[in-house]
Amino acid sequence: MGQAAAMPFRRGGSYVTELYEWFRMFINECPSGLITLHEFQRQFSNGTVGNDSAEYAEQIFRTLDNNEDGVVDFREYVMAISMLIEGTPEEKLCWSFKLYDKDRDGVITREEMLEIMQAVHKMSLANAMAKHNPLTAEECTNRIFLRLDKDNNAIICLDEFIKGAMDDVWIREMLECDPSTVMVERSPERDPASTHW
């Protein structure tokens, strides 16, 4: 979904050095040490497809904000990035489950799934580089529910979500969050030679 991000990985340097570099870039963009929803949406829009990504950015922000205080601090941010890059498939799917479980009640309804799918679909249509998916948001939602809601109770619990996604490559690709979509872009006005991080 987002553009590919150039982010420091473990290429011979120590993990502490990488964390320092992440922190330096984070503080450069967010001198207060905190990202608000508005700042995240602005940065996310700059790094993806503009205003068409606002709804999806809000859901990602909500998922990053673990303590629900309305801001994302460096710890919340780097833990999510690290997990999305280096986590197990199950860990990545647990994080994605939180993205789809908008009301945080531990289950995903068809309406919640459809809202996220519509936001993703809207971004995909606006992003010429996105891989074209011939299915509509409604068709994707229906297909996912048909395959994951094994007990036919019109909700998907975490176990159904993970097991179903692990057993089906198409579903896993549809449900996993692309790490590049949660990375904030450095502002060109602060660093003309900057790249996405």
Side-chain angles (χ1 to χ4, degrees):
M1 282 161 261
Q3 294 175 345
M7 186 169 176
F9 293 103
R10 297 184 180 170
R11 290 189 218 129
S14 74
Y15 190 62
V16 172
T17 304
E18 292 174 32
L19 284 176
Y20 174 76
E21 182 62 17
W22 288 356
F23 183 71
R24 186 184 65 75
M25 290 186 285
F26 185 91
I27 291 300
N28 187 45
E29 271 310 305
C30 308
S32 70
L34 304 171
I35 302 174
T36 64
L37 172 59
H38 175 73
E39 290 168 327
F40 186 80
Q41 284 178 316
R42 179 178 49 82
Q43 291 293 333
F44 190 89
S45 294
N46 290 343
T48 56
V49 291
N51 293 334
D52 290 316
S53 64
E55 296 164 53
Y56 189 62
E58 183 174 349
Q59 291 311 119
I60 288 179
F61 181 87
R62 180 188 51 77
T63 307
L64 291 170
D65 183 15
N66 285 327
N67 61 2
E68 301 179 42
D69 63 355
V71 292
V72 172
D73 62 26
F74 178 70
R75 183 178 185 278
E76 289 171 317
Y77 187 75
V78 81
M79 285 180 65
I81 299 292
S82 295
M83 187 276 308
L84 288 171
I85 291 171
E86 298 183 356
T88 66
E90 290 85 358
E91 289 171 331
K92 293 175 185 180
L93 286 166
C94 280
W95 196 88
S96 292
F97 182 86
K98 292 177 190 175
L99 179 68
Y100 288 92
D101 181 16
K102 290 181 65 176
D103 63 6
R104 298 182 182 212
D105 66 352
V107 295
I108 300 170
T109 64
R110 186 177 300 275
E111 292 76 25
E112 288 173 317
M113 176 74 67
L114 181 58
E115 282 184 45
I116 300 296
M117 286 293 167
Q118 286 171 332
V120 170
H121 187 71
K122 187 176 178 182
M123 274 180 46
S124 296
L125 290 176
N127 185 356
M129 295 171 54
K131 184 170 66 175
H132 178 67
N133 186 343
L135 300 177
T136 66
E138 293 82 6
E139 290 168 334
C140 286
T141 299
N142 291 339
R143 188 173 178 181
I144 289 169
F145 259 82
L146 183 65
R147 293 185 184 181
L148 297 189
D149 185 18
K150 296 297 183 189
D151 56 7
N152 295 314
N153 63 351
I155 56 174
I156 297 171
C157 69
L158 179 61
D159 288 340
E160 287 174 319
F161 188 88
I162 292 174
K163 179 157 180 23
M166 293 300 292
D167 291 343
D168 189 311
V169 174
W170 180 84
I171 288 179
R172 187 169 55 250
E173 288 176 356
M174 290 299 296
L175 298 178
E176 277 185 345
C177 182
D178 177 356
S180 68
T181 63
V182 300
M183 297 182 198
V184 177
E185 177 184 289
R186 291 199 278 171
S187 298
E189 64 271 9
R190 291 191 187 160
D191 182 0
S194 70
T195 58
H196 303 294
W197 61 279

